[in-house]
Structures are given as structure tokens and as C-alpha cells.
Amino acid sequence: MGREGHRFAGWIQIIALLCLCCASAAQLSFSVSEEVDKGTVVGNLAKDLQVNVHELEKRDLRIVSGNSKKYFDVDLNTGVLYVCDRIDREELCPNTAKCSLNIEAILSHPMQLHRIEVQITDINDNAPSFREKEKTLNISESSSAGERYLLPVAKDADTGSNSVKSYKLSPNEYFSLDVQSGGQHIESAELVLQKSLDREKKSIINLVLIALDGGKPARSGTLKITVHVMDVNDNTPIFGEPLYKAQVTENAPFQTSILTVSATDLDEGINSEIVYSFIERGDFNPNALFSLNPETGEITVEGNVDYEENTAYDIRIQARDKGTPSRSAHGKLLVEVIDVNDNTPEIIITSLMSPVKEDAEIGTVVALVTVTDKDGGNNGLTSATILGVLPFKLKLNYKNYYSLTVDGPLDRETVSQYNVTIIATDGGSPSLSSTSLIPVHISDVNDNAPLFSEPVINIYVKENSAVGGTIFTVTAADPDTKENAKVTYSLLDGFPKDIPIPSVVNINSETGDIISLQSFNFEELKMFQFKVQATDSGVPPLSSNVTVNVLILDENDNNPTILAPYSEHGSINSENIPYSAEAGYFVAKIRAVDADSGYNALLSYHLSEPKGNNLFRIGTSTGEIRTKRRMSDNDLKTHPLVVLVSDSGEPSLSATVSIEVVVVESTADIQTQFRHVPIKEDNFSDLNLYLLIAIVSVSVIFLLSLISLIAVKCHRTDSFSRYSAPMITTHPDGSWSYSKSTQQYDVCFSSDTLKSDVVVFPAPFPPVDGELISINEGDTFTRTQTLPNKEKPKAPNADWRYSASLRAGGVMQSSVHMEESAVMQGAQGVLVQNWPTASSAADAEGGEVSPPMGAGVDSNSWHFRYGPGGPGAPPQHLKPGEVPPEAFIIPGSPAIISIRQNQGGEDDKSDFITFGKKEEAKKKKKKKKEKKDKKDKGKDDGDE
């Protein structure tokens, strides 16, 4: 196959490709006349698009036009396309034979785009018109028949059959009209001279040229022609070529030469001199763009030549001689404009969806984009792309029509607006480009729940705070907008479960203010917990929770409370101390508690300064009251003390307790006035219970062991020996009486008892030559030896102290066991001497008893001293159960002594036995002494 065969095959492929493109880009075509009334039906879109009329509204059928004005719209109820604005074809498509409007019909769900071309048909609404109202022709009388004179062309804005179709000349005898047509258009009308003119007969001939269009009815325009009959110039100029052609580049510089025309005249002289000029035809004036040298015929560029306005210019040139009358001829010039890439692409945006929902699916159409370029050829071919990486893409629909669609996920909270930049580039060399910015707003979807700044909120509230006050404000932020970001607050269940949260606090659903509904008491409730839920107003609503811990802050609203034994209100507590108390002697311990906490419960003890000498001090933190110094004779016997217990709160609260400290002469006075006050245990914990059980168990085991040991010891003795002892009585004047009436005692000794086990001295101490009465095995009371002077007992020390165990009601455990409360009871109204109370303090001078380390039941190293009292000390009256302090027992061996009182052979009688001075009274004075004793006894009964 030769070159011609290859070329033919290439043309076949190009034609097939064009047909394929036209088939893929099929469009609907309609036609409508211009100037039709609004509402005129153009066509039925529902039928042509094959869409049910009832689905048009659901699928949101819309008409989009690329023009600034919207000429067509669609009726969704009927599906017809109708005219919605006045259409003027001459305004839309000036100087063009074909006029059409391109619109798009868009269907949603699914998205479909249909291109519609509406042909605008012309109506005869414009009459032909001449640029000039009057034309003057100078025709020589020598003109021969058949000469032609070019007449102006009428202009009609209509096209096709409505344009200028014919010319008529008013009836006359000299001229006829010759119309030359080029296809469907009339190119020129010429006046033809029919016969020779005679200036002497008629010098001016008036003609009327009528232009008629092809409309029905036809419209017409007239031109008045005045013919001046001139005298002889019988040769007309002749152009060298019937048609001149030239090319000029658009935007060519001024004075650029295009070409030079030339005409000749056969006449001579002035009748052969030619002047060149442009002939104006219609609405185009060649002088606006080009310049013609009248002498030389050179044509140059005089204005802005624009390819986009006209691709070519059809110019008529006149050559007129200078004869009288002058003759002229006209020639044709066709100037072709060469395109230059001087126009950037134009981007037209038609927005369809703004804003776009952030949950829009991929492929959703955002906008329609049309790109145009006024240049021709490759300079007018365009392409468009999106600048940058964005979740959008530009999809080519048809030729230079594009759709901007969603191409990725959208998130308004991340980016609320995209500025999509579209760049369009033409195919020129060099190419030109333009950009257009499309702001795409993203609308919100409720896809974010309200969020609190932290998962747990701690609120500190002072106790006793005012009811109804705002204690805290919770805030939750929602990155959504409008209703999706409108947050409301509510309360959820709290902790502890037994606290009804709605009755304790409330929350403002709009502001998040948490309001207290009651006053808090730290001593009853230290903290509680609840949850706050924040819910937005979206559909569906989203929510989140935050845990709120309300911690009650303590206020100093509780006074210190004095604990037992000094907790009785309105009473004065009394404490006794011996006169011989040293500095630092323990008087009492004040205990207090405060229901508050922290510094509000940190207590300090202060002692109000008593009148007189400052004798006592108190531990600021311990509450122990002790003496500061030894007492002197100038000190008062009774010291009223006021103890102030203060907490560390602001302001500080306090409580007071009054204690009266009484100074007594001897420790025996302290013992007799001692009273046991149980200490109330406020908080009895499980640990205390376990300790108490352990102590009781050990004590029971020890007691059982002790009883078992006593039983074994007593079982080994042969029998109880019954002893009788004479009764010795002391009198107030210091005398003694001896009675033969005896009191019998059951004494249990161990088998190895070898000497006296009991020695009894009178108060305050036996005389130098006093005899001791001892109990020996196998006989009754007998005199033993006299105490020498060197063994004379010392005077009792007044500083007698009793142990804390005795203050608490404890029992001293030793190797001596006394039945019936371990005391010897005296008869009613009988003067007796008090027994001393044993103490664990190791004081050699204080009348105390101190066991050696490791002393037990078998220990014989106990030391006893009698207590206070002295020469001339008055006898004391004893109550049943009290122990005479001036009697004492010295166990001489590790024997366990059990003494039973028997008088007259009868048990359980209150009687007493005293052991005193030596028996100085003689029998001869016995009766006298007994009388005196009875007399004194009567007096004592009266005093008692």
C-alpha cells in the first residue's frame, strides 16, 4: 500500500474515533424560538431521560447553565423543560448563523449528568438597515450604458431566511439594479446604467434602494440615492487583481505593513491620477484597524487586531481618479488573522453542594467546572487539574466540562474548610494557565462525644458551707458545632450507695454548675463520689462521663471533749496528794478528744495560774498534772485548778475542767479517800477485745494455778491450829488495857515453821523496852524479847505513796493471803488503828513495800514499814472493810497465813484485835481501866 493508502487508513481511524467520542458524549437537543413567552415548553425531560415523573423530586432534578443568566428551568411535577427568561438570539449569538445554549440536567441518587443543547431559532424581529441614510453618486454624462456603481449593503441582525434576501430599486428610466449572491448571502448590489445620461435634460436623479428580508411578513429598509450627472471622464481606474489576500498576526504592532494595492487609469493627466480609500460596508469600518495610503495604496496596521473578535476581514478598496467628473473602481481585499496564544483559560465554577457533609461518600459531586479558551487551534485546547493533595478530584465529563467530586474522607474537626485550587492550562507554546479558588465548607456531623479535661475531678468543700452555693463547675468540650456541640449535664449514681446523690447535690444542665443541696458535716461524711454525664444535642446524641470526688474539708466546729473521769459537767473533781510529794509528783492526767481532724483536733493543755504560789504544771501535749516543787508550810491545803484544753483551729475552741487538789498529811489519808472511777473506753476495737481475752485467759490460768498451789500446801499441813490470844486495847490517852477474854484465830502454818510469823506493833512504834507478842507453834500469845534501842523503828515518813495499781482498784499479790477482804475488822464504835497500804515504790522512808527482783510466793525478803502517824496521833474510826494503816505484818518465813476471826467461838462477827505496847497495866488496876475505857468508849460513840 502506498503513501495515499496509509493516509486514507489514517483518516478512517480518525473518523471512527470521532464517532466513538460523539456516541459516548451523547446529548439531548431541543430548539426554541427567541423572544418566546416565559413558561414556553421546550421539551419533556422526564420522557427523554426515561425517568418516572414521580421520582424527579426525589432524585432532585436540576438544570445548571454555564451562563450568567438562567434561561431554562424544569417543572418537577411534569418533567417539562420550559423557558424562564427572555431569550434574544441577537444578544446571545451576534453575527453568527447558528445559536445554541448548552445546559446540564443533573439527577441525584444516583448522580447522573446529561448535557442538553437548545437551539435558538431566529424570528424576523429585526428590519434591514443601511449604515448611511443617503448615498450620493457622481456619474459622468459620458458614461456608457452598462456601467455599474456599487451600492451600500443593508445589515440585518437576523439570520437565515430572516436576513436580507433581496433589493428593489425605485422605478426610473436610467438605472437598474443588479444583485450578486454568494450562496445564501447577498454579497453586493450594483446600480447598472441602462442608457446614457444627459446632464442638460436631468442633472440630478433621485433613487430609492429598498432592502427586503425573507421573513413572513417581510421587513424592509431604504436608502436614498442621489445621482449627480457629471461631465465627461470616460475611463475608470482598474485594479491589478480582482481579489487581494493578506495575513496579519493578531496583536501586530502599529504601522506593520500588510500589502500594497494598485490600480491603473487609461486616461491621461489629472484624469489618470488615482486616490485610494476604504469603502465602509455594514457596521465594519476598516479605518479602525487599518490604514490605507491614498497615494501609494499601502495598507498598514492602525489598531488592535484580535483573532478572538474576527478571524478574517473582508475589505473593499476604492480607486478614484482625479478627473472631472472623477471615475472610480472598487477592489476586494481578504485579510486573514493569524492566532497568537494571548488568552489564558477561563474557569467557570458552578457550585452544587455547599457546604459538604463531613460524612459524604466518595464520588459525591461538589461543583461543576467549565474551562474555556478564546484562542483557536492548539492555543484553545485546555486541561484542568487540582493543585496539591486534597480529598477531592476533578473528573472530566465532556470536552471541557469537569466535575469536582469527593475523593477521600472528610473530617470537619480536623479541617473545616478546604480551599481547592484548580489550575487550567492551554496547549499553546508557550502555554498559558489560570487558577481558580473554590472554598469548600465542610458541614458538621455528630461524630464526636463531649470530652472532659480529666477523667476524675476532686472537689474540696468546707463543712458547714452555705446551702445552694456553687461548689464547682464542670465543663465538657465537644469539637462539633451548633446543636451537635450543645452539651447538657446530668448526675449519675454515686458512692457510697446509701447516699442519695440527688438530695445532696444538683447540677445545672446547661452551665454544669454543681450546687450543694445541704450543708456538709465532716464528722459525719468525709467524702462521697458521683458521676456527671455530658450529652450533646446531636442525632443520635453522644455522651461521656467524669467521676467527681467531693472531699469535705474540716472546719473547727467542735469543742474539745473531756474524757472520764473528769468529764462530768458542773462538778469539781478532787485529787489528793501527800504533803511530802516531791517535784514532779503525778497528780492527775486530763484526757480530751476533739471530733474535728488535723490541726483542728490537735489539742494543747494549759493550766490557769492559781492564786498564790505556782505549785503545779501541766504537760501541754500529754495533759499530765505534776508538781513543780516540794510543798512548803506557806502553801494552801486546797488548790483549785482550772485546766483549759484548746485545739489548734482558727479560731481556736476550748473546754475547761476544774480540779481541786487537796494536800493531805499522810498517804493513808490518800488511800482512804481514794475512789475508783472506771475509765470509759470510747472506741473498743477488735484488737482491744483480743487483748482483753488474752489477759483474762492468762489471769484465769494464773489464778487456777495459785489456788491449786494453796490447796496442795494446805493439804500437806497436819491441821489448823487454833490459837487464843488475849485482847489488848489502846486508849485515846495512850494507855493500854489487857483483857483475858480472848479471840481465837485459825492459823495455818507450813510444816517447817520454826519461829514467830506474826508480829504486831502499836502506833506509832513500840517503846524501847516493849515486849513483842509472838505466836509460837503449840501455845498461845507469849512475850518474846524486848527491842533494843538500836533496833528502834524510825518515825514514819509522811511521804507515803500508794501505787497506781491500788488507785485503780488492783490487788497487790504477795506471799501473804488474808481472807475476808484481807483485813481485820473491828466492832462497831471501837477505836482502832489503821493498817498501812502496800506500795510497789522502793522508798526506804516512805512506808512502802518493795519486792525484790524475782520475789514470789516463796520469797521471805519482803520489808514492811508502818505508815504515817506519830506520837499523839489520834485514833481513827474504821468503817467495815477498811484496813488500819498503822498495823503491819512481818512474815518471818515463807508460810501462807490464814487468819479467821473467832470471838466466843462464833464466826462472822465484826470484831478486831489490836497489838500495842507492852503489858504495863497491873491486874489491880484492871477494873479501874475498864471503867475508864467504857467511859471513853461512850464519848467516842457520841462523836462518831
XYZ file of all heavy atoms in Angstrom, residues 785-852:
497
model
N 10.955 -11.015 173.079
C 12.071 -10.196 173.528
C 11.731 -8.726 173.445
O 10.755 -8.333 172.855
C 13.285 -10.477 172.657
C 13.034 -10.175 171.182
C 14.250 -10.508 170.342
O 15.267 -10.952 170.909
N 14.149 -10.315 169.054
N 12.527 -7.966 174.027
C 12.356 -6.514 174.010
C 13.255 -5.934 172.936
O 14.416 -6.340 172.800
C 12.711 -5.903 175.376
O 11.882 -6.511 176.366
C 12.490 -4.406 175.359
N 12.722 -5.016 172.192
C 13.516 -4.401 171.125
C 14.568 -3.505 171.715
O 14.270 -2.653 172.554
C 12.613 -3.584 170.202
C 11.615 -4.396 169.387
C 10.714 -3.446 168.624
C 12.326 -5.349 168.491
N 15.766 -3.666 171.323
C 16.818 -2.766 171.807
C 16.659 -1.390 171.168
O 15.975 -1.212 170.177
C 18.106 -3.464 171.363
C 17.695 -4.256 170.175
C 16.293 -4.704 170.433
N 17.426 -0.463 171.760
C 17.333 0.905 171.239
C 17.832 1.030 169.811
O 17.313 1.782 169.009
C 18.104 1.864 172.143
C 17.435 2.042 173.504
O 16.213 1.868 173.600
N 18.213 2.349 174.515
N 18.887 0.243 169.526
C 19.432 0.340 168.179
C 18.475 -0.194 167.113
O 18.596 0.116 165.949
C 20.759 -0.373 168.078
C 20.620 -1.886 168.326
C 21.979 -2.554 168.254
C 21.872 -4.071 168.501
N 23.200 -4.733 168.403
N 17.518 -1.030 167.560
C 16.541 -1.547 166.605
C 15.214 -0.808 166.688
O 14.217 -1.250 166.162
C 16.294 -3.041 166.877
C 17.521 -3.884 166.650
C 17.243 -5.334 166.953
O 16.102 -5.648 167.307
O 18.167 -6.160 166.796
N 15.238 0.324 167.345
C 14.008 1.090 167.456
C 13.571 1.563 166.055
O 14.353 2.122 165.316
C 14.232 2.312 168.341
C 12.965 3.132 168.558
C 13.275 4.406 169.327
C 13.875 4.103 170.696
N 14.117 5.343 171.479
N 12.349 1.344 165.756
C 11.877 1.787 164.414
C 11.939 3.294 164.287
O 11.746 4.019 165.252
C 10.437 1.302 164.355
C 10.301 0.312 165.447
C 11.311 0.643 166.488
N 12.211 3.675 163.107
C 12.239 5.108 162.823
C 10.831 5.666 162.772
O 9.880 4.946 162.580
C 12.932 5.383 161.490
C 14.396 4.968 161.492
C 15.028 5.296 160.155
C 16.501 4.887 160.144
N 17.140 5.198 158.856
N 10.813 6.961 162.980
C 9.494 7.625 162.850
C 8.981 7.490 161.418
O 9.747 7.504 160.474
C 9.624 9.097 163.231
N 7.715 7.348 161.341
C 7.156 7.170 159.978
C 7.373 8.406 159.118
O 7.327 9.525 159.604
C 5.677 6.931 160.214
C 5.406 7.575 161.533
C 6.640 7.395 162.357
N 7.632 8.144 157.865
C 7.786 9.225 156.887
C 6.421 9.645 156.367
O 5.621 8.808 156.000
C 8.662 8.726 155.729
C 9.107 9.886 154.848
O 8.436 10.892 154.755
N 10.266 9.704 154.222
N 6.225 10.944 156.357
C 4.906 11.426 155.900
C 4.682 11.251 154.410
O 3.569 11.341 153.919
C 4.751 12.905 156.279
N 5.778 11.047 153.708
C 5.633 10.916 152.244
C 5.281 9.495 151.892
O 6.073 8.717 151.390
C 6.926 11.345 151.564
C 6.766 11.436 150.075
O 5.609 11.371 149.612
O 7.787 11.574 149.389
N 4.072 9.127 152.226
C 3.568 7.783 151.906
C 2.865 7.858 150.553
O 2.018 8.686 150.339
C 2.583 7.345 152.997
C 1.955 6.034 152.666
C 0.873 5.832 151.933
C 2.395 4.763 153.084
N 0.572 4.524 151.828
C 1.523 3.822 152.551
C 3.479 4.308 153.871
C 1.665 2.467 152.769
C 3.606 2.964 154.084
C 2.717 2.035 153.525
N 3.243 6.940 149.660
C 2.615 6.910 148.329
C 2.022 5.552 148.087
O 2.596 4.548 148.501
C 3.637 7.217 147.235
C 4.087 8.676 147.199
C 5.043 8.929 146.055
N 6.294 8.198 146.257
C 7.254 8.161 145.326
N 7.078 8.772 144.183
N 8.358 7.489 145.545
N 0.897 5.549 147.407
C 0.302 4.282 147.030
C 0.410 4.137 145.526
O 0.396 5.088 144.774
C -1.160 4.204 147.474
C -2.001 5.361 147.063
C -2.717 5.341 145.894
C -2.076 6.521 147.868
C -3.483 6.417 145.516
C -2.852 7.577 147.495
C -3.557 7.543 146.336
O -4.327 8.593 145.964
N 0.513 2.912 145.141
C 0.798 2.630 143.729
C -0.435 2.854 142.871
O -1.550 2.899 143.349
C 1.279 1.187 143.563
O 0.219 0.316 143.860
N -0.163 2.976 141.553
C -1.256 3.160 140.577
C -2.140 1.944 140.514
O -3.317 2.031 140.202
C -0.679 3.470 139.195
N -1.556 0.801 140.831
C -2.396 -0.400 140.792
C -3.433 -0.367 141.878
O -4.553 -0.802 141.713
C -1.517 -1.646 140.917
O -0.841 -1.622 142.158
N -3.069 0.220 143.031
C -4.059 0.349 144.092
C -5.049 1.453 143.781
O -6.216 1.385 144.121
C -3.361 0.624 145.424
C -2.513 -0.543 145.957
C -1.852 -0.136 147.251
C -3.349 -1.783 146.136
N -4.587 2.517 143.108
C -5.523 3.571 142.708
C -6.588 3.034 141.765
O -7.715 3.467 141.753
C -4.770 4.705 142.008
C -3.972 5.579 142.927
C -3.096 6.507 142.131
N -3.895 7.308 141.237
C -4.372 8.516 141.537
N -4.134 9.040 142.714
N -5.070 9.185 140.673
N -6.212 2.099 140.966
C -7.178 1.524 140.023
C -7.957 0.396 140.612
O -8.678 -0.291 139.937
C -6.448 1.044 138.778
N -7.792 0.194 141.860
C -8.570 -0.879 142.468
C -7.903 -2.218 142.343
O -8.531 -3.243 142.548
N -6.604 -2.229 142.011
C -5.904 -3.506 141.892
C -5.578 -4.082 143.239
O -5.581 -3.441 144.275
N -5.177 -5.312 143.270
C -4.828 -6.040 144.497
C -3.380 -6.427 144.436
O -2.928 -6.977 143.426
C -5.703 -7.298 144.653
C -5.332 -8.055 145.892
C -7.166 -6.890 144.692
N -2.597 -6.068 145.419
C -1.187 -6.455 145.448
C -1.083 -7.934 145.754
O -1.670 -8.429 146.719
C -0.436 -5.642 146.523
C 1.042 -5.989 146.623
S 1.824 -5.118 147.980
C 1.136 -6.045 149.337
N -0.331 -8.621 144.940
C -0.148 -10.046 145.126
C 1.173 -10.272 145.870
O 2.210 -9.788 145.473
C -0.116 -10.774 143.777
C -1.412 -10.628 143.012
C -1.339 -11.309 141.681
O -0.305 -11.839 141.328
N -2.452 -11.320 140.982
N 1.089 -11.005 146.972
C 2.293 -11.297 147.769
C 2.134 -12.679 148.368
O 1.191 -13.403 148.064
C 2.461 -10.239 148.859
O 1.421 -10.357 149.799
N 3.077 -13.004 149.247
C 3.018 -14.312 149.882
C 2.081 -14.333 151.066
O 1.917 -15.345 151.716
C 4.429 -14.716 150.342
O 4.909 -13.773 151.281
N 1.456 -13.171 151.362
C 0.517 -13.115 152.484
C -0.875 -13.120 151.931
O -1.217 -12.311 151.073
C 0.751 -11.844 153.325
C -0.222 -11.812 154.469
C 2.176 -11.847 153.845
N -1.744 -13.986 152.375
C -3.127 -14.067 151.912
C -4.037 -13.923 153.094
O -3.923 -14.650 154.068
C -3.373 -15.417 151.234
C -4.810 -15.583 150.858
N -5.420 -14.838 149.882
C -5.753 -16.417 151.350
C -6.657 -15.206 149.765
N -6.900 -16.162 150.677
N -4.937 -12.957 153.033
C -5.884 -12.740 154.112
C -7.263 -12.990 153.604
O -7.644 -12.478 152.566
C -5.775 -11.300 154.649
C -4.437 -10.985 155.309
S -4.419 -9.347 156.014
C -2.762 -9.350 156.695
N -8.006 -13.771 154.298
C -9.380 -13.988 153.936
C -10.224 -12.834 154.426
O -9.805 -12.034 155.256
C -9.872 -15.301 154.536
C -9.141 -16.508 153.969
C -9.690 -17.809 154.510
O -10.598 -17.747 155.337
O -9.196 -18.863 154.077
N -11.438 -12.841 153.965
C -12.405 -11.792 154.279
C -11.822 -10.417 153.992
O -11.626 -9.613 154.876
C -12.863 -11.880 155.729
C -13.623 -13.159 156.037
C -14.219 -13.139 157.427
O -14.148 -12.084 158.068
O -14.768 -14.154 157.821
N -11.518 -10.196 152.683
C -11.023 -8.918 152.173
C -9.662 -8.583 152.718
O -9.225 -7.444 152.659
C -11.988 -7.761 152.479
O -13.244 -8.024 151.913
N -8.968 -9.567 153.296
C -7.589 -9.411 153.754
C -7.456 -8.323 154.790
O -6.466 -7.626 154.858
C -6.676 -9.143 152.563
N -8.457 -8.113 155.632
C -8.375 -7.112 156.703
C -8.940 -7.751 157.971
O -9.659 -8.752 157.944
C -9.173 -5.835 156.345
C -8.610 -5.179 155.115
C -10.640 -6.165 156.121
N -8.574 -7.157 159.079
C -9.183 -7.499 160.361
C -10.196 -6.432 160.682
O -9.871 -5.261 160.675
C -8.123 -7.578 161.448
C -7.109 -8.716 161.246
S -5.958 -8.846 162.574
C -4.950 -10.216 162.004
N -11.400 -6.838 160.895
C -12.471 -5.888 161.126
C -12.679 -5.690 162.620
O -12.577 -6.629 163.411
C -13.763 -6.378 160.479
C -13.661 -6.545 158.975
C -14.949 -7.006 158.382
O -15.862 -7.336 159.128
N -14.998 -7.044 157.061
N -12.986 -4.441 162.937
C -13.272 -4.138 164.335
C -14.740 -4.026 164.578
O -15.525 -3.840 163.658
N -15.111 -4.117 165.843
C -16.526 -3.981 166.199
C -16.973 -2.554 166.028
O -16.175 -1.635 165.944
C -16.734 -4.422 167.647
N -18.269 -2.385 165.917
C -18.829 -1.047 165.727
C -18.485 -0.170 166.910
O -18.644 -0.544 168.079
C -20.352 -1.139 165.570
C -20.801 -1.888 164.323
C -20.532 -1.108 163.085
O -20.405 0.110 163.159
N -20.415 -1.811 161.969
N -17.996 1.081 166.575
C -17.735 2.072 167.613
C -16.453 1.861 168.371
O -16.231 2.503 169.381
N -15.614 0.953 167.999
C -14.358 0.702 168.710
C -13.260 1.436 168.002
O -13.152 1.398 166.767
C -14.061 -0.808 168.766
C -12.756 -1.055 169.485
C -15.202 -1.520 169.449
N -12.422 2.110 168.804
C -11.292 2.838 168.230
C -10.211 1.866 167.846
O -9.789 1.037 168.656
C -10.758 3.847 169.241
C -11.714 4.996 169.593
C -11.104 5.837 170.693
C -12.013 5.801 168.383
N -9.776 1.938 166.625
C -8.702 1.069 166.159
C -7.696 1.915 165.418
O -7.927 3.084 165.114
C -9.252 -0.030 165.216
C -10.194 -0.937 165.941
C -9.915 0.596 164.004
N -6.571 1.313 165.136
C -5.534 1.958 164.335
C -5.600 1.439 162.894
O -5.824 0.254 162.694
C -4.148 1.682 164.942
C -3.981 2.243 166.341
C -4.010 3.751 166.361
O -3.626 4.380 165.404
N -4.488 4.323 167.449
N -5.401 2.318 161.924
C -5.474 1.932 160.507
C -4.248 1.151 160.090
O -3.150 1.377 160.596
C -5.599 3.156 159.611
C -6.920 3.854 159.814
O -7.880 3.228 160.232
N -6.945 5.158 159.536
N -4.490 0.231 159.170
C -3.391 -0.563 158.606
C -2.769 0.176 157.433
O -3.429 0.857 156.696
C -3.920 -1.920 158.144
C -4.289 -2.792 159.296
C -5.348 -2.679 160.121
C -3.565 -3.915 159.742
N -5.377 -3.641 161.061
C -4.279 -4.450 160.843
C -2.396 -4.559 159.311
C -3.832 -5.578 161.541
C -1.975 -5.676 159.987
C -2.681 -6.179 161.102
N -1.489 -0.024 157.184
C -0.842 0.626 156.013
C -1.211 -0.106 154.734
O -1.565 -1.258 154.747
C 0.644 0.516 156.317
C 0.755 -0.723 157.148
C -0.491 -0.782 158.003
N -1.112 0.598 153.654
C -1.350 0.035 152.318
C -0.020 -0.174 151.636
O 0.820 0.728 151.605
C -2.202 0.971 151.472
O -3.413 1.217 152.156
C -2.496 0.365 150.116
N 0.174 -1.347 151.066
C 1.454 -1.675 150.441
C 1.591 -0.947 149.116
O 0.644 -0.749 148.401
C 1.558 -3.182 150.218
N 2.799 -0.551 148.802
C 3.110 0.125 147.540
C 4.312 -0.518 146.907
O 5.157 -1.077 147.601
C 3.371 1.609 147.771
O 3.806 2.204 146.591
N 4.339 -0.434 145.604
C 5.458 -1.032 144.872
C 6.623 -0.091 144.738
O 7.628 -0.438 144.139
C 4.989 -1.465 143.488
O 4.542 -0.324 142.779
N 6.501 1.140 145.193
C 7.612 2.078 145.099
C 8.675 1.697 146.097
O 8.404 1.455 147.263
C 7.124 3.497 145.332
N 9.880 1.671 145.695
C 11.001 1.263 146.558
C 11.527 2.463 147.287
O 12.546 3.040 146.962
C 12.091 0.591 145.721
N 10.805 2.910 148.305
C 11.208 4.063 149.118
C 11.466 3.575 150.521
O 10.562 3.133 151.212
C 10.103 5.120 149.073
C 10.543 6.423 149.710
O 11.652 6.443 150.279
O 9.766 7.400 149.657
N 12.690 3.704 150.977
C 13.052 3.198 152.310
C 12.455 4.015 153.403
O 12.354 3.570 154.546
C 14.567 3.162 152.444
N 12.012 5.258 153.060
C 11.494 6.126 154.104
C 10.010 6.353 153.971
O 9.421 7.038 154.779
C 12.201 7.485 154.031
C 13.708 7.419 154.242
C 14.084 6.981 155.651
O 13.280 7.226 156.548
O 15.170 6.413 155.820
N 9.415 5.857 152.967
C 8.043 6.247 152.673
C 7.003 5.297 153.128
O 5.871 5.388 152.700
N 7.289 4.360 153.982
C 6.260 3.444 154.429
C 5.745 2.588 153.301
O 4.562 2.325 153.221
N 6.593 2.156 152.420
C 6.165 1.400 151.256
C 6.736 0.002 151.333
O 7.659 -0.283 152.087
C 6.623 2.078 149.970
C 6.025 3.470 149.781
C 6.584 4.151 148.563
O 7.497 3.576 147.973
O 6.106 5.244 148.225
N 6.224 -0.872 150.501
C 6.722 -2.225 150.403
C 7.258 -2.410 149.005
O 6.650 -1.986 148.044
C 5.610 -3.258 150.701
C 4.452 -3.086 149.780
C 6.182 -4.673 150.587
N 8.414 -3.005 148.940
C 9.032 -3.215 147.627
C 9.559 -4.616 147.563
O 10.440 -4.988 148.325
C 10.170 -2.212 147.423
O 11.143 -2.373 148.426
N 9.035 -5.418 146.631
C 9.534 -6.780 146.493
C 10.831 -6.765 145.737
O 11.043 -5.935 144.868
C 8.430 -7.468 145.696
C 7.832 -6.367 144.903
C 7.930 -5.148 145.736
N 11.747 -7.672 146.109
C 12.991 -7.778 145.348
C 12.715 -8.365 143.986
O 11.664 -8.902 143.730
C 13.847 -8.700 146.209
C 12.850 -9.540 146.912
C 11.691 -8.659 147.208
